Amino acid sequence: MIDPMTSESPLIVYLDIKSPYAYIAVEPTIALGQELGIRIDWRPLTLNIPSYLGSARTDASGKVVQSERTPAQWNAVRYAYRDAKRYARLRGITLYGTQKIWDSSLAGIALLWARQHGEAAAVAWLRAVYPPFWRRELDIENVAVIEATLQHAGVSTNGFDAWLNGEGRIQHDALQAALHPVGIFGVPTYIVAGDRFFGREHLPAVRWLLSGKQVPAPVAVYPLDTTP
Amino acid sequence: MSPLEIFIDPFSAPSYLALKPTFELCTELKVVPTWHPFRAPAERRTSKDLDADVRQRHQRVRQEYRDHDYARYAAWQGVPFQRPALSTNRDLIDYALIRLGDSPEATRFLQSLTAMLWGGYSEPEASEFAELAGLPSLLADFQSEGADVLAAESRRVEPLGIFDAPAYLIDGELFIGRQHLPAIRQLLTVGDPFNIST
């Protein structure tokens, strides 16, 4: 059982492949880890989007064909995609809106698998899966597709099939069940010094805490990062 | 017309925490924004008794996190953080802010108001708001036109798609939250970092 709040690494990061905000947080987070010379423990948080943003489905043209969202939820969702896209554009990242709410648990289990092979494997897998998924080139509900992303990242897939339906699924589901009780609910979430930070706007605070609070505390902001 | 419009709810924690860095940015860049009132959605606090419903549980956990996050940043910023009681004068406050708009007095009004609201002081009586806003005829004007002015403001704001405060509108681009201040700085100085127009 993975303890949701503790790790051998000084920084834990929770991500979900289907979150655009998590996607655009990945590279700045990797860069921060490299800058500080610290290890990062990458973990999955499989979002239950309908529980806070309602549910909806669009067709290939983007037209809404089914929706259980309120007008306020639609405003929030439309804004969130527009916001993520403009910051992605800053870094030359392609980010198309998704056409449905994906079940990303399989990808979450793959992240747990990659994580077992070390931080470098987890990072390589994140880099292998996020860009094509947000170009609408990956079906992350397809086992063969997920296995291919692991192979593309150089992560061994020997035994992955069996692990996926056994220990991997058990680990994933147990971790998800343990998150709400400790106050973790969204992505990206950073766990540092026993405290929780939701959103990449807290990267300045994460840096500040991991650097020993040498300067006055920062404001929560999105730095204008142009790192691809 | 100011290049920067800011929609603010003096009673909401994220608006309050955004004010100090926003004032600092505007002062540094010599920008006088146009201030607008915006009522942030009510914070939804649910009981642990409702945790069996995942939606209710998510809302509770999220709200508890927000409370923790706002308090921690307030402590780091060194600003008081005593949640204000809901005011019976909110319409009057909104009207005063609309009247002040892009006047430099709006900043002083917001500074004084939020210092009282979040500093644990008693809120002024309705009659005292005129002095606080520097608008001697505030109460009389509010009684004669307040409802119409507030309704017109609501009609103007609705199509903008704002759903929370603080919200910043610059060159038609909407930013919700203080986390966008670096982008707003760039838009106000060297230009559009996102190539929005292309």
Side-chain angles (χ1 to χ4, degrees):
Chain A
M1 167 71 181
I2 300 170
D3 185 316
M5 291 293 287
T6 62
S7 172
E8 290 177 3
S9 303
L11 178 61
I12 304 171
V13 183
Y14 285 93
L15 299 172
D16 188 344
I17 301 306
K18 66 176 177 286
S19 162
Y21 279 118
Y23 177 23
I24 55 180
V26 168
E27 289 301 331
T29 304
I30 293 169
L32 177 65
Q34 289 171 343
E35 173 195 326
L36 299 177
I38 59 161
R39 291 174 58 197
I40 298 176
D41 187 349
W42 302 91
R43 298 177 178 181
L45 187 164
T46 302
L47 291 166
N48 182 344
I49 292 177
S51 73
Y52 62 98
L53 281 177
S55 64
R57 196 178 181 99
T58 63
D59 63 16
S61 69
K63 184 182 171 191
V64 177
V65 293
Q66 175 264 328
S67 171
E68 292 168 8
R69 285 181 175 145
T70 65
Q73 285 175 326
W74 269 116
N75 272 345
V77 169
R78 288 192 179 111
Y79 172 81
Y81 272 108
R82 202 169 66 240
D83 186 41
K85 278 182 179 181
R86 62 187 166 195
Y87 281 94
R89 193 174 186 182
L90 190 65
R91 289 165 36 206
I93 293 171
T94 301
L95 198 157
Y96 295 135
T98 56
Q99 292 166 290
K100 67 170 187 175
I101 296 174
W102 292 84
D103 174 359
S104 53
S105 62
L106 185 53
I109 295 168
L111 175 55
L112 288 173
W113 174 265
R115 174 181 175 271
Q116 289 186 344
H117 290 76
E119 183 191 341
V123 167
W125 181 77
L126 291 169
R127 285 174 164 161
V129 71
Y130 263 118
F133 175 71
W134 285 96
R135 290 193 303 260
R136 294 185 182 165
E137 295 168 2
L138 282 190
D139 176 357
I140 58 167
E141 293 173 354
N142 183 315
V143 176
V145 169
I146 288 295
E147 206 162 321
T149 61
L150 286 165
Q151 288 162 356
H152 181 69
V155 181
S156 166
T157 53
N158 284 340
F160 178 67
D161 265 353
W163 193 81
L164 167 68
N165 295 307
E167 178 59 26
R169 173 60 69 178
I170 291 167
Q171 254 191 45
H172 170 272
D173 292 355
L175 179 60
Q176 303 314 303
L179 296 177
H180 273 178
V182 296
I184 300 171
F185 59 91
V187 293
T189 284
Y190 301 90
I191 307 297
V192 56
D195 208 353
R196 300 160 289 149
F197 295 86
F198 168 54
R200 77 184 190 286
E201 66 268 35
H202 300 294
L203 278 172
V206 171
R207 174 187 285 110
W208 178 67
L209 288 167
L210 289 169
S211 307
K213 305 182 185 179
Q214 300 291 322
V215 293
V219 174
V221 293
Y222 294 153
L224 288 179
D225 189 348
T226 54
T227 310
Chain B
M1 183 69 177
S2 171
L4 175 63
E5 295 183 75
I6 306 175
F7 300 79
I8 204 90
D9 181 346
F11 290 83
S12 91
S15 285
Y16 170 58
L17 292 175
L19 281 176
K20 187 177 174 189
T22 302
F23 290 148
E24 287 171 356
L25 180 68
C26 290
T27 301
E28 180 194 333
L29 301 182
K30 297 182 171 57
V31 170
V32 180
T34 303
W35 295 92
H36 301 271
F38 184 85
R39 302 277 177 95
E43 293 173 337
R44 290 178 292 185
R45 288 188 167 72
T46 60
S47 158
K48 274 192 175 178
D49 298 342
L50 301 171
D51 267 10
D53 180 327
V54 66
R55 187 180 299 235
Q56 301 271 15
R57 186 176 70 231
H58 184 107
Q59 285 174 6
R60 177 184 63 76
V61 172
R62 183 178 279 255
Q63 187 58 53
E64 286 174 359
Y65 168 80
R66 284 177 173 161
D67 291 342
H68 168 67
D69 186 51
Y70 300 147
R72 128 179 103 193
Y73 273 96
W76 288 348
Q77 282 186 26
V79 296
F81 193 76
Q82 297 191 49
R83 284 185 174 274
L86 277 184
S87 171
T88 53
N89 292 309
R90 291 200 72 175
D91 284 350
L92 179 63
I93 292 168
D94 287 354
Y95 174 72
L97 197 52
I98 293 168
R99 284 283 304 275
L100 291 169
D102 60 1
S103 154
E105 292 302 307
T107 297
R108 192 186 54 77
F109 173 66
L110 282 168
Q111 281 174 322
S112 305
L113 178 67
T114 52
M116 277 189 281
L117 293 176
W118 293 85
Y121 300 98
S122 301
E123 188 182 307
E125 296 294 322
S127 57
E128 296 173 88
F129 273 104
E131 188 180 342
L132 195 65
L135 297 168
S137 62
L138 180 70
L139 271 183
D141 294 346
F142 176 66
Q143 281 160 9
S144 67
E145 65 166 23
D148 291 341
V149 169
L150 291 173
E153 176 75 359
S154 291
R155 286 195 297 273
R156 198 187 80 77
V157 170
E158 193 179 344
L160 299 176
I162 298 172
F163 58 91
D164 208 346
Y168 304 83
L169 190 63
I170 176 167
D171 285 343
E173 195 69 9
L174 179 65
F175 298 90
I176 294 180
R178 72 192 190 283
Q179 62 268 34
H180 298 289
L181 286 173
I184 292 162
R185 168 191 291 278
Q186 185 147 339
L187 274 160
L188 290 168
T189 52
V190 295
D192 173 13
F194 306 111
N195 295 317
I196 291 162
S197 56
T198 60

